[in-house]
Amino acid sequence: MKNLFKLFSLLLLITFLTNCSSSKDKLGKKIIKPNSVVEDIYVPHLKSDRKTFFKGSLAEDKWVDSVYNQMPFNEKVGQLFMVAAYSNKDSVHVNGLDKLISEYKIGGLIFFQGGPVRQAKLTNRFQAKSKLPLFIGIDAEWGLSMRLDSTYKFPWNSTLGAIRDLKLIEKVGEQMGKESKRMGIHFNFAPVLDINTNPKNPIIGHRSFGEEKHNVTDRAIALMTGVQNQGVFATGKHFPGHGDTATDSHYSLPLVNFSRERLENVELYPYKRMFDEGLESVMVAHLNVPSLEVRPEVPTSLSYNVVTDLLKKEMAFDGLIFTDALNMKGASNFKKPGDIDLEALLAGNDILLFAENVPVAVEKITAAYNEGLVTDERLAYSVKKILHYKYKIGLNKYKPIDETNLMSDINPSSNVALQYELFENAITLLKNDNTILPIKELDKKIAYVKLGDDTNTKFLSTLKKYTDVTEVTSDNIDSLNVQLKNFDIVIVGFHKSDKAWKKHDFTETELLWLQEIAKKNKVILDIFTKAYSLLPITTFDDIEGVIVSYQNGDIPQEVSAELIFGAIDAKGKLPVSINDFFKVNDGLSSEKINRIGFAAPENVGMSSSKLASIETIAKKAIDGKMTPGMQILVARKGKVIYQKSFGYHTYDKLVKVQNSDIYDVASITKMVSTLPNVMQVFDQGKVTLDTKLGEMLPIFQGSDKQDITFKELLSHYGRLQAWEPFYKETLDADNCPADKYYSLTYKEGYTKQVAENLFINDNYKDVILKKIVDSKLSDKKEYKYSDFTFIILKEYLEKITGKSLDILSAHNFYNMLGMSNTMYNPLRKFDMRVIPPTDNDTYFRHTTIQGYVHDMEAAMEGGVAGHAGIFSNAMDVAKMMQMYLNKGNYGGIQYFSNATFDVFNTCHFCAEGNRRGLGFDKPQLGKEGPTCGCVSMSSFGHTGFTGTMAWADPETEIIYVFLSNRTFPDSNASNKLSKENIREDIQKIIQEAIIK
């Protein structure tokens, strides 16, 4: 009989669950359930099996009993109150709090708006006045910046909801815990456990981890774990669940009209798991939940059924219970100040948060005590619990906040590194038709169109670091589309304010524009707002790529640009659904191609604080008039971690140096133009290490240079002269360009421009080459740096390819590498205002040299030479250096083989005292040389006469680029930049910045 009864009971249970799986609530709305309800029911642990972060002890019990037994009634009542405090208000507010602390013995403060130092000072002041140390709490859902200025803002929970790696979210909790603890804060009123199943929720939204209960709970547990591991209490809110409301409890009482079954299965699910994982406190919301409280319009925060019967008894939660702020209209509309506090206490709450009138509340509670409505047992239950938590957090041995280094302690550089990791893992790719992402072909014409009313600076500037991207604007959609016809891809960025409570919606006009742009162009839509912003879009059919970047800060903008060009792959998953187009947990992966990206120094094992001292050396150089200005870039492990510009174009300080400005890089030309082309020729087997110069260029046959080998030539070991001032023979008696060789206008036979309004005879380059052929070799075979090597190699490359070197370098490398700011003769593309001058020439061209190559021989070749002539910026040079570090690979393209790179990066004549590789400079073998003497022997690079340096180290994976115009205004002046070892000292700092 017993067995039959058990079987019958089981059948009834299955029938009940099956029927419930498709039941509807009172509103007729279908209750969403998992495929298997039975499997999804969470069975809480026994209380004894729950995790705990703050274990009790006999010493704790003894302290609590001792303190409680000595407390008069009024002090016990005072402990129930946590009052609002502001560090941005006047003395009236501060004095009022002093009075509440000294006269009413309140138990704690919840801080709102202000600043960290001001709050620390006030906290120390208030703690000093309090007989029993105060609890200090704060709403810091995305860090202290939710309330305090000058603090770090971590991502919204909705952004964290897109991250799969829960360890990263735990790290966020750890950082939040550390900053709270440093500020003397004991409660972070976070995480938010609300499951945001209503996209129109006006108050939760981005504060929720998403709409799916498992995702929300997993992330809340991770955040809580991080916070509480640092010795700070986390507070789950807003019990029993504020995620599916259409009103804001700050202004009215929201209705949650779900069945008890739905609440158990969805809203209460995170709490059940969190309690088992060790959550220490809960905040009860002001909600109208008829299935939990039958009395109409009674807020959950004031409901005995909710706080005591459900939370404390049924769910067996014995941690601290806070009301939500009692000044909120969701509660304060129900009863007057004082009455509402009493109701909250009677409901079972331990701490009454943000009481509007403490004296009246104390009076009401005292009267209720005298009437027997509040018993000694009830008071002892909450007050002793409060004392237990004060002991657990260390208030039995209170220490004031040390204000020394407070700002740096709560804003560590590790926050920035973590932020990069978070957005690299959060940004979500939702659509990628025809694998439009990542953009691989950098020679495509790309336009950018901004929608939204907030800043887009970092996004656009980062896009431009990968290739030419043109911002297109218009007041008229038709004229905009006419302009866009000329482009292959249009990136549409939607930028709205990153402030918490701002609207993030498209306007009707923006939606229309997006639709019209998408109809006529290949479009990548990238929204820098919450995912819900996509809801009004009625179709995505014409949009090839859709990216959700979640927030509009500098880091998400930068990281999103990285994703578009393949420096990172897409990892994020959508935390909410977008109509029927995209479902929760949707998110495509994308291909990562090894393009240079961006990060904080700590992401790659470098110290931000150490790198910051580069600025001191830069200032020394500028103040000492060693150079008017400079660009400095440091990258490691494929990530740019330091990119700054210092000073001005000239000493008159009219034009500041920008990261996008382009410099005459002088002899770095050898390494970024001629050398990679030579390496390709070598890789193709067209030349070997033993190929002789006479074989490469017939003009050398029969000369004393014909037997110089390719290896000797590139190692500067062929006994060639260092250089020759070829220009001098083209000057007249007044040391001005002679009419015999020059024309003041462009005309047939005079097409090679030397300077503004100055053109040289096209055939003069042959004269120069003949002079090199006839030049005297050095008597001794030893290392001697020579420009002749690369003048010769240019001739060789142009002979075997039939193309001029500028076209060759652009076609073979620059276009595909995205080196869109690198070229010979930059005035053909760039305004002179972005090019720092290199000389006030009084010896040859008699003009300011700006936008024309400084090197005289290169100028006589029309600005296109093998040894000089390239203009570039630090970012572009870094791309070439990264390609070298990758042994010929960049952006998924193999430019030459690994073996070829290894051959060229070998010091073939080190035994003879020659440090050079093939084309590359290498570290010094003795005391003197191009580096700090602190880089590896496998490192390589080059320096330039105008005050430039580019260096890469395969062992540390570090790239260092230094560009300047130290030759201005007088290139013949002493080279103080070199004598003072400015470039080398900066390189030394970079090496010292490596975290061992």
Side-chain angles (χ1 to χ4, degrees), residues 126-151:
F126 295 142
Q127 292 285 25
K129 290 181 179 294
S130 184
K131 180 179 178 182
L132 186 66
L134 300 159
F135 273 148
I136 305 295
I138 195 166
D139 289 302
E141 295 167 22
W142 49 87
L144 294 176
S145 70
M146 184 172 178
R147 296 298 185 218
L148 303 181
D149 60 34
S150 309
T151 55

Side-chain angles (χ1 to χ4, degrees), residues 15-69:
T15 303
F16 172 76
L17 292 172
T18 303
N19 289 337
C20 286
S21 68
S22 60
S23 65
K24 296 187 178 182
D25 63 13
K26 294 177 183 178
L27 297 178
K29 181 178 179 182
K30 189 172 182 179
I31 299 171
I32 299 169
K33 299 210 175 261
N35 292 331
S36 173
V37 178
V38 176
E39 290 180 7
D40 196 51
I41 292 174
Y42 181 77
V43 180
H45 299 173
L46 296 172
K47 282 180 67 174
S48 59
D49 293 334
R50 287 177 174 174
K51 293 181 183 177
T52 178
F53 289 81
F54 302 87
K55 293 183 178 179
S57 65
L58 291 174
E60 177 184 318
D61 295 338
K62 184 177 179 181
W63 183 84
V64 169
D65 289 339
S66 172
V67 172
Y68 186 81
N69 292 334

Side-chain angles (χ1 to χ4, degrees), residues 56 60 205 208 230 334 340 391-392 404 435 518 566 648 668 827 917:
E60 177 184 318
S208 167
Q230 299 305 313
F334 181 70
I340 196 172
Y391 184 94
K392 291 178 191 294
T404 308
T435 56
Y648 296 81
I668 288 179
L827 293 177

Side-chain angles (χ1 to χ4, degrees), residues 47-104:
K47 282 180 67 174
S48 59
D49 293 334
R50 287 177 174 174
K51 293 181 183 177
T52 178
F53 289 81
F54 302 87
K55 293 183 178 179
S57 65
L58 291 174
E60 177 184 318
D61 295 338
K62 184 177 179 181
W63 183 84
V64 169
D65 289 339
S66 172
V67 172
Y68 186 81
N69 292 334
Q70 296 176 52
M71 295 174 76
F73 174 79
N74 69 311
E75 290 184 14
K76 293 174 183 177
V77 174
Q79 288 300 302
L80 303 173
F81 295 95
M82 192 173 239
V83 178
Y86 297 78
S87 57
N88 64 351
K89 288 192 174 183
D90 59 16
S91 59
V92 175
H93 170 71
V94 174
N95 293 336
L97 290 173
D98 284 343
K99 183 176 181 180
L100 290 177
I101 292 166
S102 58
E103 294 184 15
Y104 291 90

Side-chain angles (χ1 to χ4, degrees), residues 216-354:
V216 169
T217 307
D218 290 343
R219 282 146 191 78
I221 290 171
L223 193 78
M224 172 203 71
T225 301
V227 170
Q228 294 192 165
N229 273 335
Q230 299 305 313
V232 173
F233 299 129
T235 306
K237 61 186 186 184
H238 305 84
F239 186 85
H242 206 321
D244 203 332
T245 59
T247 52
D248 181 354
S249 54
H250 289 84
Y251 304 108
S252 61
L253 184 65
L255 174 66
V256 180
N257 201 14
F258 293 123
S259 68
R260 175 64 186 265
E261 182 198 6
R262 147 72 191 237
L263 294 172
E264 288 282 354
N265 192 45
V266 180
E267 277 73 14
L268 296 179
Y269 176 86
Y271 291 94
K272 295 174 186 178
R273 282 187 58 197
M274 292 285 281
F275 295 164
D276 286 346
E277 294 297 327
L279 180 67
E280 293 291 346
S281 59
V282 166
M283 180 183 289
V284 184
H286 310 309
L287 302 169
N288 178 12
V289 188
S291 63
L292 298 180
E293 173 55 67
V294 294
R295 291 179 295 164
E297 303 294 317
V298 174
T300 46
S301 55
L302 309 183
S303 167
Y304 185 90
N305 291 335
V306 172
V307 181
T308 297
D309 287 344
L310 175 60
L311 180 57
K312 293 161 75 172
K313 293 181 179 179
E314 289 186 39
M315 300 182 75
F317 181 68
D318 57 6
L320 271 179
I321 301 173
F322 292 81
T323 66
D324 205 341
L326 292 174
N327 71 322
M328 294 166 61
K329 298 301 181 183
S332 63
N333 285 345
F334 181 70
K335 285 198 172 184
K336 293 179 181 179
D339 292 328
I340 196 172
D341 304 84
L342 175 59
E343 284 287 333
L345 179 63
L346 293 174
N349 295 285
D350 298 311
I351 295 182
L352 312 176
L353 197 65
F354 206 148

Side-chain angles (χ1 to χ4, degrees), residues 281-554:
S281 59
V282 166
M283 180 183 289
V284 184
H286 310 309
L287 302 169
N288 178 12
V289 188
S291 63
L292 298 180
E293 173 55 67
V294 294
R295 291 179 295 164
E297 303 294 317
V298 174
T300 46
S301 55
L302 309 183
S303 167
Y304 185 90
N305 291 335
V306 172
V307 181
T308 297
D309 287 344
L310 175 60
L311 180 57
K312 293 161 75 172
K313 293 181 179 179
E314 289 186 39
M315 300 182 75
F317 181 68
D318 57 6
L320 271 179
I321 301 173
F322 292 81
T323 66
D324 205 341
L326 292 174
N327 71 322
M328 294 166 61
K329 298 301 181 183
S332 63
N333 285 345
F334 181 70
K335 285 198 172 184
K336 293 179 181 179
D339 292 328
I340 196 172
D341 304 84
L342 175 59
E343 284 287 333
L345 179 63
L346 293 174
N349 295 285
D350 298 311
I351 295 182
L352 312 176
L353 197 65
F354 206 148
E356 288 192 273
N357 193 324
V358 172
V360 171
V362 169
E363 183 182 318
K364 293 284 184 180
I365 292 170
T366 302
Y369 176 80
N370 292 331
E371 294 169 8
L373 193 58
V374 175
T375 65
D376 284 317
E377 291 77 17
R378 173 68 191 92
L379 195 60
Y381 176 84
S382 285
V383 176
K384 283 192 173 183
K385 194 193 293 188
I386 290 167
L387 293 176
H388 273 287
Y389 274 80
K390 288 195 172 184
Y391 184 94
K392 291 178 191 294
I393 209 69
L395 289 178
N396 59 313
K397 296 178 180 178
Y398 165 76
K399 292 181 180 179
I401 302 166
D402 182 358
E403 296 174 31
T404 308
N405 300 323
L406 180 64
M407 291 302 295
S408 59
D409 288 347
I410 64 172
N411 290 293
S413 55
S414 56
N415 283 353
V416 181
L418 178 56
Q419 194 87 324
Y420 273 102
E421 282 191 272
L422 294 170
F423 280 99
E424 285 172 3
N425 281 270
I427 293 176
T428 306
L429 177 61
L430 291 178
K431 195 175 183 203
N432 192 16
D433 288 356
N434 301 315
T435 56
I436 193 170
L437 293 163
I439 298 173
K440 293 182 178 180
E441 299 171 21
L442 299 185
D443 53 354
K444 285 184 178 291
K445 293 196 69 178
I446 302 170
Y448 164 80
V449 174
K450 178 192 173 186
L451 298 179
D453 54 10
D454 203 46
T455 179
N456 65 335
T457 305
K458 195 69 173 182
F459 184 53
L460 184 56
S461 66
T462 308
L463 291 174
K464 289 182 175 182
K465 288 178 180 180
Y466 285 100
T467 189
D468 277 330
V469 175
T470 304
E471 183 172 17
V472 180
T473 61
S474 178
D475 294 330
N476 179 277
I477 183 59
D478 294 327
S479 63
L480 183 71
N481 265 330
V482 169
Q483 294 180 67
L484 294 176
K485 279 183 179 179
N486 299 319
F487 294 90
D488 301 307
I489 296 174
V490 179
I491 300 169
V492 177
F494 180 54
H495 302 268
K496 298 293 287 185
S497 173
D498 205 34
K499 291 184 179 177
W501 316 116
K502 295 285 187 178
K503 286 189 175 182
H504 295 150
D505 303 324
F506 284 93
T507 65
E508 290 298 324
T509 299
E510 287 169 339
L511 289 170
L512 175 64
W513 278 42
L514 177 60
Q515 179 182 335
E516 291 301 311
I517 293 169
K519 280 180 183 177
K520 299 177 181 178
N521 302 278
K522 283 187 177 179
V523 166
I524 297 167
L525 172 64
D526 196 343
I527 67 163
F528 293 89
T529 65
K530 60 188 178 185
Y532 284 137
S533 298
L534 294 172
L535 284 170
I537 298 175
T538 57
T539 178
F540 291 87
D541 290 349
D542 295 324
I543 302 174
E544 282 74 16
V546 178
I547 301 169
V548 181
S549 295
Y550 296 102
Q551 295 183 234
N552 199 38
D554 281 354

